[in-house]
Amino acid sequence: MATQKTPRIDPLTLEVVELIGAVVARYHEEYEEAAAEHALTGAQARLLSLLSMEPLPMRRLAQKLKCEPSNVTGIVDRLETRGLVERRPDPADRRVKLAAATEEGCRVAHGLRDSLNFAREPLAGLSDNERLSLRHLLRRMLEA
Amino acid sequence: MATQKTPRIDPLTLEVVELIGAVVARYHEEYEEAAAEHALTGAQARLLSLLSMEPLPMRRLAQKLKCEPSNVTGIVDRLETRGLVERRPDPADRRVKLAAATEEGCRVAHGLRDSLNFAREPLAGLSDNERLSLRHLLRRMLEA
DNA sequence: CTCACATACTTCAGTACCTGAAACAACCAT
DNA sequence: ATGGTTGTTTCAGGTACTGAAGTATGTGAG
């Protein structure tokens, strides 16, 4: 177990991994860029996007963002200061605070989604058939 | 221009974008996880991986990481404190400091690459033909 | 050669993000 | 009622990042 590292490096797999890395890098780049256009950080944009669908307790936000609840407090604080998010009491449980996007917050979230042109640009060059097989392959990768 | 947002949302494209988002999320998750196993942050892991190929001036590192040079100083500082990276003078230009992975740094970088199992797990379920067409599609996406 | 300008790196102040521990309030089971 | 659990916040500590200022070195025009 000591001498044999990366037993057989299938060159095809290696290249695919590299390509995925490139896609990931590009996706992130464009996401941060789109967020910055709306004066949001990446974390703020992700959180606001979640809230634009439905209000969520802080706890759930932390789970979805895969971080500690204490972290969410700060991000929501900053968004609340800017009037994009508000905290509402949960009628069913007085411990819980529901974070919800304000009307303005929803507008910003939609603008963000629209300017997230990673959708159009790189996918535009693909035919419908190519998109179909891409969908199939990505699904298979993710179900593993 | 006010009423008509996201003119026609091709559902197929939308789903593919969503799937790419999921792949990106998963990739990042696993990358950070692999880095953490070696007591590295994501930024440190990326920088160390670059240096494990060849020594680079701080300036080049900033370009590759798409951040300010002043930021690289701090990351290299932390890695240098742990003996994973060292600063060498550039014989050709005394202004330049070449950051280079130490022997220990190279070991950690290789360990990182090995434990980056996003390669094996999700791609393992794909046949060679599927990998080939995935490669083709990713290439086409990136060349745009 | 010298002077002005550009380049490479660092330092510093300021912000955001993130974690883990501790505090607090509210829920819930016994 | 009591004791344990859960949801949120606060705080301390650390990393990441930017932009401005500072230092040292290279370089080109005169």
Side-chain angles (χ1 to χ4, degrees):
Chain A
M1 134 214 169
T3 50
Q4 180 80 333
K5 302 210 151 188
T6 47
R8 291 168 296 115
I9 334 151
D10 172 11
L12 173 57
T13 299
L14 205 64
E15 191 185 349
V16 172
V17 172
E18 204 170 309
L19 285 166
I20 293 174
V23 169
V24 169
R26 171 112 178 246
Y27 184 96
H28 250 81
E29 209 175 311
E30 298 203 7
Y31 193 88
E32 297 282 328
E33 204 174 310
E37 277 170 26
H38 297 272
L40 295 173
T41 65
Q44 289 167 5
R46 277 186 289 280
L47 195 151
L48 185 57
S49 291
L50 283 177
L51 292 188
S52 72
M53 319 293 283
E54 54 172 354
L56 287 172
M58 308 293 279
R59 185 99 177 69
R60 271 261 169 283
L61 277 173
Q63 290 169 344
K64 297 226 179 198
L65 297 175
K66 295 183 197 304
C67 67
E68 300 301 313
S70 61
N71 187 19
V72 176
T73 298
I75 302 176
V76 169
D77 279 350
R78 275 161 231 131
L79 288 171
E80 196 169 28
T81 306
R82 291 179 44 194
L84 302 178
V85 156
E86 63 182 5
R87 284 172 164 96
R88 300 176 190 159
D90 181 343
D93 187 338
R94 280 184 303 166
R95 290 171 301 179
V96 172
K97 281 171 192 164
L98 292 171
T102 63
E103 205 172 309
E104 169 78 6
C106 281
R107 261 196 303 276
V108 172
H110 290 150
L112 190 85
R113 231 172 173 53
D114 286 353
S115 62
L116 197 46
N117 45 11
F118 188 78
R120 304 179 201 95
E121 200 169 324
L123 257 50
L126 271 57
S127 70
D128 270 11
N129 270 341
E130 285 175 322
R131 264 175 276 204
L132 277 169
S133 58
L134 182 55
R135 181 181 68 174
H136 174 252
L137 291 169
L138 293 176
R139 274 179 177 169
R140 290 213 44 202
M141 279 181 59
L142 287 166
E143 77 197 4
Chain B
M1 138 215 166
T3 50
Q4 179 81 334
K5 303 210 152 191
T6 47
R8 291 171 295 115
I9 335 151
D10 171 13
L12 173 56
T13 300
L14 204 66
E15 191 186 347
V16 172
V17 171
E18 204 169 308
L19 285 167
I20 292 174
V23 168
V24 168
R26 171 110 179 247
Y27 184 96
H28 250 82
E29 209 175 310
E30 298 203 6
Y31 193 89
E32 297 283 327
E33 204 174 309
E37 277 170 25
H38 297 273
L40 295 172
T41 65
Q44 289 168 4
R46 277 185 289 279
L47 195 151
L48 186 56
S49 291
L50 283 177
L51 292 187
S52 72
M53 320 292 283
E54 54 172 352
L56 286 172
M58 308 293 278
R59 187 97 176 71
R60 270 260 171 284
L61 277 173
Q63 288 169 346
K64 297 226 180 199
L65 297 175
K66 295 184 198 303
C67 68
E68 301 301 314
S70 61
N71 188 17
V72 176
T73 299
I75 304 176
V76 169
D77 279 351
R78 275 159 231 133
L79 289 171
E80 195 170 29
T81 306
R82 290 176 46 192
L84 302 179
V85 156
E86 63 182 4
R87 284 173 164 96
R88 299 176 190 160
D90 181 343
D93 187 338
R94 279 184 303 168
R95 290 172 303 180
V96 173
K97 282 171 190 163
L98 293 171
T102 62
E103 204 173 309
E104 170 77 5
C106 280
R107 260 197 303 276
V108 172
H110 290 149
L112 190 86
R113 231 171 173 53
D114 287 352
S115 62
L116 196 45
N117 44 12
F118 187 78
R120 305 181 201 93
E121 200 169 324
L123 258 49
L126 271 56
S127 70
D128 270 11
N129 270 340
E130 286 175 322
R131 264 175 276 204
L132 277 169
S133 59
L134 182 56
R135 181 182 67 175
H136 175 251
L137 291 169
L138 293 176
R139 276 178 176 169
R140 290 214 44 201
M141 280 182 58
L142 288 166
E143 76 197 6

